[in-house]
Amino acid sequence: MLRKERVKKALQHKQTDVVPYNISFTIPAYQKLVKYYSDEKISDKIGNHLVRISAVSSDAWQEISPDIWQDEFKVVWNRTVDKDIGTVEGYVFPEPELYGYKFPEPNLKTRYAKFEEIANSKPDGFIIGGIGFSLFERAWTLRGMENILIDMKLNPNFVEELLDRILEYNLAVIEGMSKYKIDACHFGDDWGSQHGLIMGPSMWRKFIKPRIAKMYRKVHEKGLAVSIHSCGDIKEVIPDLIDIGLNIMNPFQPEVMDVYEMKQKYGKNLCFWGGVSTQSTLPYKTPDDVKKEVKQLLSEIGKDGGYILAPAHDIPSDVPTENMLALIEVVQNQ
């Protein structure tokens, strides 16, 4: 069975011959694996079922000084420590005003330059077009986390205006991605902390829900599945997400939710993507512990479809190589 077919069958909540899986890495973790195998392209041999393509222009990021990068939204990121993402330095909107700010052009040819090439080179994979920092995260990177949360109370009109502009941009990008051979649209937007929603459920429902509902609706109109990534404990809005059309939920983080309970409660409505602990099991347990956890997830969460096994986030740098190998061994030998 083709990997694409397995994922589609899992989305239909049907048992597959092999539980679909997708193993991704931070840069330092992947370098460990490359060193072990002496193979720069080892990720292509893992057998991942998902093919992810980001709707980011090829010239979107500019290194303006060593390890200091500026993205296409003019946000400056310090990557001297975190080479994967970095931390924001300064804010585009120091005050709750847009100041005639011009958003990036969603219809640039360079934004979609990799879509056709990658989709055609991996036709057996489930192709996902992605928008990172898709709403709340984009807002706070422009304004600042504390500022945008305060604005939700003190300057709600500004928050509405900013989120509407981000939404307008996202809808145009969804339109652009949907012209290519993709199977789903994926939205990255962390809403959760270890203990609930960052902005709380009422603010989430006021500012976030109505806008992502429009995004999800447009994706479904294109005949595509909706996938999200939100770290943290977002249990209290899972019914809301199902109501507005979510299909795939990532990262399915075991440290903040009982993944077996979530499967029991929502497994008929959602396909979960993730589940392997990156906070405890992978970095701190033995290879046998890793194998035991992965096998249990495959057996119990993977039963009757609705599951894509993966680490709960890109595998971090503190995970021993032998634990990465244990994970790979189990998924490859189902």
Side-chain angles (χ1 to χ4, degrees):
M1 181 180 289
L2 290 177
R3 295 180 177 91
K4 182 192 294 286
E5 293 173 355
R6 282 198 191 106
V7 176
K8 287 185 174 181
K9 193 171 181 180
L11 280 169
Q12 296 167 359
H13 306 280
K14 296 179 180 178
Q15 187 69 52
T16 52
D17 58 336
V18 168
V19 175
Y21 60 88
N22 202 74
I23 302 173
S24 56
F25 309 85
T26 59
I27 293 171
Y30 188 64
Q31 288 172 342
K32 288 184 183 180
L33 208 63
V34 167
K35 182 178 180 181
Y36 178 84
Y37 283 105
S38 299
D39 187 347
E40 293 286 344
K41 296 184 178 181
I42 187 60
S43 63
D44 293 337
K45 300 168 185 174
I46 291 173
N48 283 337
H49 284 64
L50 308 182
V51 178
R52 301 178 61 184
I53 315 172
S54 180
V56 175
S57 179
S58 57
D59 58 354
W61 288 82
Q62 302 292 330
E63 190 171 17
I64 56 179
S65 62
D67 283 327
I68 306 297
W69 292 77
Q70 185 177 66
D71 67 23
E72 61 182 330
F73 287 82
K74 306 305 179 187
V75 175
V76 175
W77 298 82
N78 186 324
R79 291 181 171 174
T80 54
V81 177
D82 178 2
K83 304 297 184 183
D84 289 271
I85 301 175
T87 56
V88 177
E89 290 200 339
Y91 300 109
V92 175
F93 303 130
E95 300 295 332
E97 297 286 344
L98 292 183
Y99 304 112
Y101 174 80
K102 185 177 180 181
F103 275 73
E105 170 54 55
N107 298 314
L108 291 172
K109 289 184 178 180
T110 52
R111 184 173 306 286
Y112 310 105
K114 294 181 180 179
F115 273 70
E116 188 167 3
E117 174 190 348
I118 294 176
N120 288 337
S121 67
K122 299 183 178 181
D124 67 328
F126 187 82
I127 313 295
I128 301 178
I131 302 177
F133 292 82
S134 60
L135 192 65
F136 174 67
E137 283 188 321
R138 180 55 61 200
W140 78 249
T141 62
L142 291 164
R143 173 76 174 117
M145 177 71 81
E146 290 183 2
N147 291 335
I148 201 70
L149 293 174
I150 293 170
D151 288 337
M152 286 180 175
K153 278 288 190 182
L154 301 184
N155 303 297
N157 290 340
F158 166 74
V159 178
E160 300 271 8
E161 183 182 9
L162 175 57
L163 294 179
D164 281 343
R165 292 288 302 280
I166 297 170
L167 170 63
E168 179 183 2
Y169 168 83
N170 287 345
L171 292 175
V173 174
I174 293 167
E175 183 70 33
M177 290 193 297
S178 68
K179 296 176 181 177
Y180 297 87
K181 297 176 183 178
I182 63 174
D183 301 297
C185 287
H186 181 73
F187 303 103
D189 206 25
D190 289 345
W191 306 314
S193 69
Q194 291 288 102
H195 304 286
L197 292 164
I198 295 169
M199 72 296 293
S202 61
M203 290 297 184
W204 184 89
R205 292 185 177 110
K206 177 179 179 179
F207 292 108
I208 307 301
K209 182 178 177 179
R211 292 170 174 85
I212 62 173
K214 292 180 180 179
M215 291 156 52
Y216 297 2
R217 189 179 308 122
K218 187 172 183 67
V219 172
H220 284 304
E221 287 171 355
K222 300 296 182 181
L224 305 172
V226 174
S227 172
I228 66 158
H229 167 91
S230 179
C231 287
D233 181 2
I234 63 169
K235 292 191 297 291
E236 54 199 325
V237 296
I238 289 178
D240 298 75
L241 292 165
I242 292 170
D243 182 58
I244 60 176
L246 179 63
N247 303 115
I248 306 171
M249 182 182 134
N250 168 271
F252 198 38
Q253 194 174 338
E255 287 79 16
V256 299
M257 60 183 70
D258 184 327
V259 295
Y260 299 97
E261 179 187 357
M262 293 299 102
K263 171 71 174 187
Q264 185 176 21
K265 290 179 69 173
Y266 304 115
K268 293 182 180 179
N269 303 105
L270 291 177
C271 179
F272 295 105
W273 164 14
V276 181
S277 168
T278 55
Q279 289 180 247
S280 55
T281 304
L282 282 174
Y284 300 120
K285 299 293 182 69
T286 67
D288 284 342
D289 292 328
V290 172
K291 291 178 182 180
K292 181 180 178 181
E293 179 173 313
V294 174
K295 288 177 181 178
Q296 185 175 359
L297 288 166
L298 291 170
S299 173
E300 296 187 31
I301 310 293
K303 185 179 179 181
D304 299 323
Y307 189 42
I308 302 165
L309 184 136
H313 211 291
D314 293 344
I315 293 178
S317 60
D318 58 349
V319 173
T321 303
E322 55 266 31
N323 284 2
M324 290 189 266
L325 298 176
L327 168 59
I328 294 168
E329 178 186 332
V330 174
V331 297
Q332 287 184 334
N333 291 282
Q334 295 182 61

